[in-house]
Amino acid sequence: MVEIASETVLRLVDDASVQHVGDGAVVLLARSGQLYTCNGTTEAFLDKVDGARSLDQIVVLLCDEFEVDKGTLDQDMAALAADLVSEGILADPGA
């Protein structure tokens, strides 16, 4: 699994699009036609992934939004980012 450092700038892969539906979101990968459903936390995370913000900057924004301890969120969001890279939704920062 890819390890995502706090200073890593995150971006969606070029053919990924996020659509908001009900209490979450779906991610469509155009090249494969794969569709992923996201819970509210993943939706909030992906909303802040813009190709300019680092993982740490995204975590700070989420801490403000959800009033959660940054230490806990750091680990959880790094793991989520790594999962999204392995699923091909976020661009591999090492590539």
Side-chain angles (χ1 to χ4, degrees):
M1 182 182 291
V2 176
E3 196 164 314
I4 309 294
S6 62
E7 67 276 2
T8 302
V9 173
L10 300 171
R11 70 174 182 83
L12 291 169
V13 294
D14 292 337
D15 69 331
S17 63
V18 179
Q19 301 297 317
H20 302 281
V21 291
D23 290 337
V26 294
V27 177
L28 172 64
L29 295 179
R31 72 179 158 347
S32 65
Q34 287 183 288
L35 193 65
Y36 296 87
T37 57
C38 304
N39 63 21
T41 304
T42 305
E43 177 184 23
F45 178 82
L46 289 174
D47 279 347
K48 289 156 186 61
V49 171
D50 62 1
R53 291 186 184 116
S54 68
L55 175 59
D56 190 60
Q57 290 170 317
I58 292 168
V59 168
V60 167
L61 291 172
L62 290 171
C63 284
D64 291 345
E65 186 174 331
F66 291 106
E67 298 177 9
V68 178
D69 172 68
K70 187 175 183 304
T72 302
L73 210 53
D74 275 334
Q75 292 179 343
D76 292 347
M77 294 301 104
L80 174 60
D83 287 345
L84 294 171
V85 168
S86 70
E87 292 293 337
I89 294 169
L90 291 181
D92 187 338

